[in-house]
Amino acid sequence: MPSKESFQITRRKLLRQTAGITAYSAAMANLPRSLAESLSGELKSGSQAGIPIPRRKAQIFALDEVHLEDGPYREAMERNSAYVLSLDPNRFLHFFHVTASLPPKADTYGGWETKVGRMLGHYLSACSMYLRATGSPEFQQRQNYVVDELAACQRANGNGYVGGVPEADRIFHEIAAGNIYITKGALNGVHAPWYMLHKMCAGLRDAYAYGGNQQALTVLTGFGDWTLALTEHLSDADMQKMLEAEHGGMNEVFADLYAITRNERYLILSRRFNHRAVLDPLARGVDDLDGLHANTQIPTALGLYTQYEVTGDREAKRGGEFFWETVTQSRSYVIGGDSDKEHFYKIGQMGQNLSPATAETCNSYNMVKLTDRLFADNPREELAAYQERVLWNDILASQDKTTPGMTYYMSLAPGHFKTFSTPFDSFWCCVGTGMENHAKYGESLYFSSPHELWINQYVASRVKWKERGIELVQTTSFPHEPRSEWKVLCEKPVDAVIYLRHPKWAGDGFAVTINGKKTAGSVPGSYLKLKRKWENEDVIVASLPMQLTVEAMRDDPKWNAILYGPIVLAGLLGADQMPPAAPYATGNQLEFRSVPDPQVPTLSAAIANINEWLKKTGPLEFRTSETSSRASVQFVPLANVTKERYSVYWKLS
């Protein structure tokens, strides 16, 4: 044990460093538990996982405070809801029962589920989100049943562990002994065990935060204690070695657990799961992401920013913000998605990375979560603009409109096609995040403080702003029409500020009226501040002029995408030579990657004169002018494409 004098010196030194990522992680990892517990009591408190965070300027509305009205987002939500209810939780629980030496109650589903229990956490999160959004007793029954079964598995294990990872006894016994090895990305012979456990932990957290299930918190806390015991004697070098394998957002979920319980040991554990080889450079504003597996880094960057939210750690804040900036500004395609073949390509090589495996949907799922957190801390239009781009053109586009199918990759290979999952045999990671994506659109539309409300997205919906006693009803068929209307409902006049987003794409034609009277103007890419005493049935109307534009690829301007307002358009190229089973893959998400793609025509067009060669032919439908050498091409929103070839990026001559 250290002497009292050395205890005080170490204590002062660590406190001066304000729990920064690099120094704090290294120092805490090598301290005895008694010292770490003493120090942790002086960390700043915060909250997360459904509990308001005091330092946030704006709060994310709860899902029961935002109701989607008729439109594409509600349709996606309802299709997904029916799908989630069609699934049998016992089939997802199969490996959880097996690893707890309990008899399984059903066989597994197909795809990745045949080898390990990956989907259960996503399924539990989705059920909890739908429960909060709808109050449906069906989702409450599903949520509570899964939590009960996980609690039974935890009791059977007898040590706090619960999970669907085969060989858990062997690999975690080896890890606890410091015998850690990585082979072809697998940790002690098992692919991404912490990644899979993170999904279960996130499901338990969400069952507590969204669904109010107290037993979920008990199970999660027991798992946290098991993890503390497992890693207690691991050195910092051991931990960093372990994190070379994909580990999901373990740092995020333990930061959330700290926020809920205020037990600082979980915050220390969260920081021990910081992969410093990646996160330390980000905190210094250095992009070392080239060649890294994208969806390993995005969840851990989200966890880093969560640590800022719950502690005020400025270094963690800088790291999370810089990660968002470099990914969205230098590494994202026109649709808002990122990565090719699951990895971050070198900056400047986007044009060389247009394959059938672009834009993994899980990446966008996690980037949406990070963007919501960043906006809540510091509202600004560029965050809402990114959210708009990725929601309309990647998340919404990832769902098949005729089946429960979801994409793993949003292919941007010219002339290729989307590949969708099948309902029960293609359980990829992006099917899991997809269950959540279409359940939680309501979290990204509005934000509030006690006296201010931000309107970020033009989506038919209604929001209950409880702090001010106002309900705001947004009526719109955007993007089919270039306008949106909000009706204010309140029992008595209320002083409040409403910030209405003025998108860059709307330009100087953006105009707003209140009760028919025009307001002052605003600058594209900002917010129009509407401060007044609001009365019942006040009406706000915004004109949202939408123009056809050509957006050149940031680092390879020979490639160009076409947009209508914020909507990315895809040119339809027919279904020639598509396999009979396409676009539905029964197992491998890359089942159709080797299918030859046709030669995509070069558009004979002048960028500055797009309205001369691309004409509107219907609601959100456009067609190029036919020439003697080229047939015309029809363009529609990428979100509307399902069973045919298309191209988003074009060469213009």
Side-chain angles (χ1 to χ4, degrees):
M1 292 292 290
S3 68
K4 182 177 180 180
E5 180 180 3
S6 63
F7 182 105
Q8 295 298 331
I9 292 172
T10 307
R11 189 170 193 261
R12 289 194 299 270
K13 181 179 178 181
L14 286 176
L15 291 175
R16 280 201 306 271
Q17 291 167 336
T18 327
I21 302 163
T22 307
Y24 186 93
S25 298
M28 290 300 253
N30 294 296
L31 289 178
R33 176 183 290 182
S34 58
L35 176 53
E37 288 177 346
S38 174
L39 287 171
S40 64
E42 301 201 22
L43 298 176
K44 296 178 182 178
S45 63
S47 59
Q48 185 51 45
I51 302 171
I53 294 176
R55 66 178 47 85
R56 280 180 171 172
K57 182 175 182 180
Q59 294 296 329
I60 299 171
F61 278 98
L63 289 175
D64 58 350
E65 296 172 328
V66 179
H67 177 78
L68 298 180
E69 301 288 358
D70 290 345
Y73 285 94
R74 180 169 176 173
E75 292 168 7
M77 181 180 178
E78 290 179 344
R79 276 192 295 269
N80 187 59
S81 170
Y83 175 54
V84 173
L85 286 175
S86 75
L87 298 170
D88 179 0
N90 282 317
R91 299 185 72 176
F92 292 133
L93 282 160
H94 177 93
F95 281 107
F96 292 81
H97 287 135
V98 168
T99 56
S101 299
L102 296 174
K105 299 183 179 182
D107 292 334
T108 66
Y109 280 116
W112 294 2
E113 282 295 290
T114 60
K115 296 181 179 180
V116 66
R118 288 176 179 263
M119 293 293 112
L120 181 70
H122 293 296
Y123 175 81
L124 179 55
S125 290
C127 287
S128 301
M129 291 169 183
Y130 275 118
L131 170 59
R132 186 65 177 264
T134 68
S136 165
E138 291 180 281
F139 284 112
Q140 184 170 44
Q141 188 272 332
R142 301 290 182 100
Q143 171 196 269
N144 293 348
Y145 177 76
V146 170
V147 173
D148 287 347
E149 291 298 306
L150 290 177
C153 291
Q154 190 174 60
R155 288 193 298 271
N157 286 321
N159 59 359
Y161 174 78
V162 58
V165 180
E167 298 188 74
D169 285 346
R170 175 187 64 79
I171 65 169
F172 291 120
H173 178 77
E174 292 174 351
I175 288 170
N179 179 17
I180 299 168
Y181 52 94
I182 311 292
T183 307
K184 295 182 179 180
L187 175 62
N188 289 51
V190 175
H191 177 70
W194 286 115
Y195 169 90
M196 291 178 276
L197 291 170
H198 166 247
K199 301 307 176 186
M200 177 202 69
C201 290
L204 289 166
R205 175 202 61 201
D206 292 343
Y208 169 77
Y210 289 102
N213 188 302
Q214 293 293 323
Q215 184 174 220
L217 179 58
T218 300
V219 176
L220 179 57
T221 302
F223 181 86
D225 292 342
W226 172 83
T227 309
L228 281 164
L230 175 77
T231 60
E232 178 179 11
H233 299 293
L234 295 183
S235 69
D236 186 55
D238 289 335
M239 289 294 295
Q240 294 304 306
K241 178 68 174 178
M242 185 174 70
L243 298 178
E244 291 176 13
E246 186 173 4
H247 48 277
M250 292 305 301
N251 58 350
E252 178 211 11
V253 78
F254 286 131
D256 287 340
L257 186 57
Y258 159 71
I260 297 167
T261 65
R262 299 300 193 272
N263 184 334
E264 287 85 356
R265 293 179 67 206
Y266 301 132
L267 179 59
I268 295 168
L269 185 61
S270 169
R271 284 185 163 123
R272 294 205 73 195
F273 271 93
N274 283 346
H275 189 198
R276 287 162 38 204
V278 174
L279 299 184
D280 286 358
L282 292 173
R284 298 193 304 268
V286 175
D287 183 339
D288 278 345
L289 300 175
D290 286 355
L292 297 183
H293 185 261
N295 201 44
T296 298
Q297 318 317 322
I298 303 175
T300 196
L302 174 62
L304 178 66
Y305 193 78
T306 304
Q307 290 168 1
Y308 154 68
E309 289 196 295
V310 302
T311 68
D313 181 349
R314 305 300 293 182
E315 194 175 349
K317 175 183 172 69
R318 287 194 300 271
E321 290 177 336
F322 177 75
F323 180 83
W324 183 91
E325 180 181 344
T326 192
V327 170
T328 61
Q329 303 305 308
S330 301
R331 298 182 176 277
S332 293
Y333 301 102
V334 66
I335 63 172
D338 58 77
S339 83
D340 187 25
K341 304 178 188 69
E342 301 191 12
H343 289 72
F344 287 126
Y345 42 77
K346 290 184 179 180
I347 291 179
Q349 295 186 359
M350 186 180 293
Q352 302 170 39
N353 287 276
L354 295 176
S355 80
T358 51
E360 182 183 352
T361 310
C362 282
N363 296 0
S364 296
Y365 157 87
N366 280 308
M367 288 300 294
V368 166
K369 291 176 68 175
L370 178 58
T371 306
D372 282 339
R373 305 275 186 89
L374 290 168
F375 189 93
D377 182 67
N378 181 20
R380 53 193 192 275
E381 197 274 340
E382 66 174 330
L383 293 161
Y386 169 78
Q387 204 81 306
E388 178 180 61
R389 185 69 69 93
V390 76
L391 287 173
W392 280 104
N393 303 298
D394 196 356
I395 300 298
L396 194 64
S398 69
Q399 184 194 61
D400 183 16
K401 296 186 184 306
T402 57
T403 75
M406 301 177 199
T407 61
Y408 189 111
Y409 303 109
M410 187 61 62
S411 171
L412 295 175
H416 204 69
F417 48 89
K418 297 179 185 178
T419 297
F420 291 106
S421 60
T422 55
F424 308 116
D425 294 308
S426 309
F427 280 101
W428 315 316
C429 55
C430 297
V431 175
T433 52
M435 292 183 205
E436 298 179 49
N437 279 333
H438 309 295
K440 63 184 186 72
Y441 287 120
E443 289 186 337
S444 300
L445 308 183
Y446 307 91
F447 290 78
S448 71
S449 71
H451 298 280
E452 301 165 306
L453 183 141
W454 287 262
I455 299 174
N456 281 358
Q457 307 301 337
Y458 298 103
V459 173
S461 54
R462 60 174 62 215
V463 57
K464 295 179 180 178
W465 188 12
K466 295 177 181 178
E467 290 91 343
R468 306 307 294 157
I470 289 176
E471 184 171 5
L472 205 62
V473 181
Q474 181 174 183
T475 302
T476 186
S477 59
F478 179 85
H480 288 84
E481 65 170 349
R483 71 185 299 276
S484 195
E485 176 181 307
W486 297 263
K487 179 178 285 189
V488 176
L489 303 177
C490 53
E491 294 183 358
K492 59 183 180 180
V494 179
D495 285 314
V497 175
I498 294 177
Y499 290 101
L500 181 57
R501 179 170 158 254
H502 180 169
K504 287 184 179 179
W505 51 259
D508 295 332
F510 178 81
V512 176
T513 62
I514 299 177
N515 300 330
K517 184 178 180 180
K518 191 173 181 179
T519 67
S522 53
V523 177
S526 69
Y527 283 87
L528 175 63
K529 183 177 181 178
L530 304 174
K531 182 179 181 180
R532 61 184 277 128
K533 186 182 289 291
W534 298 95
E535 298 190 7
N536 191 45
E537 298 196 353
D538 278 347
V539 175
I540 307 167
V541 177
S543 297
L544 304 164
M546 301 170 68
Q547 305 294 329
L548 286 167
T549 57
V550 175
E551 185 173 303
M553 187 178 285
R554 289 186 179 96
D555 55 19
D556 196 344
K558 71 175 177 288
W559 289 107
N560 293 269
I562 299 170
L563 295 91
Y564 183 59
I567 306 302
V568 175
L569 301 179
L572 303 181
L573 299 172
D576 289 350
Q577 299 180 26
M578 285 178 61
Y584 304 106
T586 56
N588 191 323
Q589 67 275 14
L590 285 170
E591 185 173 330
F592 305 121
R593 67 177 169 179
S594 299
V595 174
D597 296 326
Q599 184 69 33
V600 175
T602 297
L603 296 183
S604 180
I607 294 175
N609 300 316
I610 186 172
N611 289 292
E612 295 181 4
W613 55 268
L614 188 60
K615 302 292 185 180
K616 194 170 187 178
T617 58
L620 297 180
E621 294 182 0
F622 304 83
R623 186 172 288 276
T624 62
S625 302
E626 186 172 0
T627 68
S628 58
S629 61
R630 294 180 178 87
S632 65
V633 177
Q634 183 183 12
F635 282 79
V636 300
L638 178 60
N640 292 353
V641 179
T642 53
K643 301 177 182 179
E644 55 192 311
R645 296 180 180 275
Y646 62 89
S647 190
V648 164
Y649 281 108
W650 301 82
K651 292 180 180 179
L652 304 183
S653 62

